[in-house]
Amino acid sequence: MAPVPIFDDAPPAETNGKAQKYDIFEDYNGEYRFAPIQEAQVSRAMIKRYFNTMYERVVSDVVIVGAGSAGLSCAYRLASDRPDLKITIIEANVAPGGGAWLGGQLMTPMVIRKPADRFLREIGVDYEDEGAFVVVKHAALFTSTLLSKVLAMPNVVLMNATAVEDLIIHKDFEGNQRVAGVVTNWTLVALNHDTQSCMDPNTITAPVIISATGHDGPMGAFSAKRLVSAGLLKELGNMRGLDMNRAEPAIVNNTREVAPGLILTGMELSEHDGSNRMGPTFGAMIASGIKAAIEATGILKASLIEGGKVVGKVSA
């Protein structure tokens, strides 16, 4: 028996105030028909939304640099707890997720030590219980689930293929140096400054920056390294050797505001503090991201903010 074609049963679309019914036909026997479109419509649909978003997010409440496991966990918790905040995530890669698409050595299972398994239940990711830890059958299941939930939140914007080239650092209301935003550019532009003439960046102002760029690498530990070159940190602690039992609690418990306006989370903190690496176990990334969200909420509650800038403290 041949499959029955599916006709357009949706209500007429509204275009310029006029209802239109399109000649579309979902048939997989050679008669599939799409609604008509002009190439310019595609471009305008993307450009309008993207640049309206850029315009609106030039002043954000929180900027999260890096959309790996720590950054996404942070965004989920912060956006859930504070739906009033404008949370903007900047990710240098085309594909968000950082190193959380696989486990260790390109193997697919993801190991998460308890009690971070509670977060898996919260976002609806199944796992096998091994007693002291749980195993998700594929790291991509965790990452894709978390990513889809974060992107569905109305107060979260993700700008991927976008690099943070620098930090905005101002004197604050007390005369102290404060991280007050990020300097951004499209990643392909940032990677080609030596091959082209001047390609100036853009900026986003925010009272709190949360950096989750991972351990040292081409774009890793960016904010920690910039603190050194900007004179706000004497030197990097540099990540120590692998010790899972020391590494994970150190990352979670020490997640904090390392400089006024800047919170470090995840493996970037190990480069700042000189703590151990933990290898392919991801509980600390989840919990550190959650801790960063809690720290950000505390900073915002204690601050008087005008135009995306901290201008004073809330009186006790």
Side-chain angles (χ1 to χ4, degrees):
M1 181 176 177
V4 178
I6 301 173
F7 295 85
D8 178 23
D9 57 358
E14 288 286 337
T15 304
N16 296 325
K18 297 180 180 179
Q20 295 191 20
K21 191 75 172 178
Y22 296 108
D23 178 23
I24 62 175
F25 190 30
E26 187 175 5
D27 169 72
Y28 295 95
N29 297 306
E31 294 295 331
Y32 198 108
R33 295 196 298 276
F34 285 97
I37 198 167
Q38 297 178 19
E39 286 77 8
Q41 289 178 290
V42 175
S43 295
R44 283 175 170 164
M46 292 186 296
I47 291 168
K48 177 181 178 179
R49 288 162 176 81
Y50 190 86
F51 285 100
N52 281 348
T53 297
M54 286 187 70
Y55 183 91
E56 192 261 341
R57 290 303 174 110
V58 163
V59 176
S60 296
D61 294 311
V62 178
V63 170
I64 299 174
V65 187
S69 49
L72 290 174
S73 298
C74 176
Y76 177 85
R77 174 57 60 232
L78 190 57
S80 298
D81 292 347
R82 292 289 306 270
D84 58 306
L85 296 179
K86 294 193 298 183
I87 300 166
T88 303
I89 309 172
I90 308 295
E91 168 55 47
N93 286 302
V94 172
W101 290 111
L102 292 165
Q105 199 169 323
L106 303 183
M107 292 181 280
T108 55
M110 172 180 269
V111 174
I112 295 175
R113 292 166 67 193
K114 294 180 177 179
D117 58 315
R118 187 200 60 77
F119 189 72
L120 298 179
R121 294 190 292 276
E122 181 176 348
I123 65 174
V125 173
D126 291 333
Y127 55 80
E128 295 179 52
D129 196 321
E130 293 283 353
F133 61 90
V134 302
V135 183
V136 179
K137 70 176 182 179
H138 200 302
L141 175 61
F142 165 77
T143 302
S144 60
T145 301
L146 177 57
L147 181 60
S148 65
K149 288 183 177 295
V150 167
L151 290 178
M153 292 175 164
N155 59 326
V156 176
V157 163
L158 169 66
M159 296 180 180
N160 49 321
T162 304
V164 170
E165 292 191 334
D166 204 351
L167 301 173
I168 300 173
I169 302 174
H170 289 164
K171 282 188 177 181
D172 68 9
F173 62 98
E174 295 178 316
N176 299 315
Q177 298 278 36
R178 181 182 183 89
V179 176
V182 292
V183 179
T184 65
N185 218 326
W186 284 306
T187 302
L188 290 177
V189 172
L191 292 173
N192 282 279
H193 282 306
D194 293 335
T195 64
Q196 297 288 326
S197 59
C198 181
M199 297 178 285
D200 283 328
N202 212 332
T203 63
I204 300 176
T205 297
V208 177
I209 307 300
I210 302 173
S211 195
T213 64
H215 56 70
D216 199 3
M219 292 187 176
F222 174 82
S223 297
K225 290 186 287 189
R226 187 66 181 103
L227 288 178
V228 176
S229 59
L232 298 182
L233 179 66
K234 183 177 180 181
E235 61 183 4
L236 286 180
N238 295 317
M239 184 170 61
R240 302 294 195 263
L242 192 148
D243 183 337
M244 291 181 180
N245 287 305
R246 279 193 290 176
E248 292 206 272
I251 291 298
V252 178
N253 294 327
N254 291 315
T255 296
R256 66 194 187 281
E257 186 182 31
V258 298
L262 177 66
I263 296 169
L264 292 189
T265 182
M267 292 308 296
E268 184 167 6
L269 186 65
S270 69
E271 298 286 2
H272 181 280
D273 288 358
S275 57
N276 296 87
R277 66 190 301 169
M278 73 280 303
T281 173
F282 289 81
M285 298 300 97
I286 293 171
S288 178
I290 293 172
K291 176 78 180 303
I294 294 170
E295 294 291 309
T297 299
I299 294 169
L300 292 171
K301 284 183 177 179
S303 302
L304 291 174
I305 300 168
E306 294 180 3
K309 297 180 180 181
V310 175
V311 296
K313 295 179 180 179
V314 174
S315 301

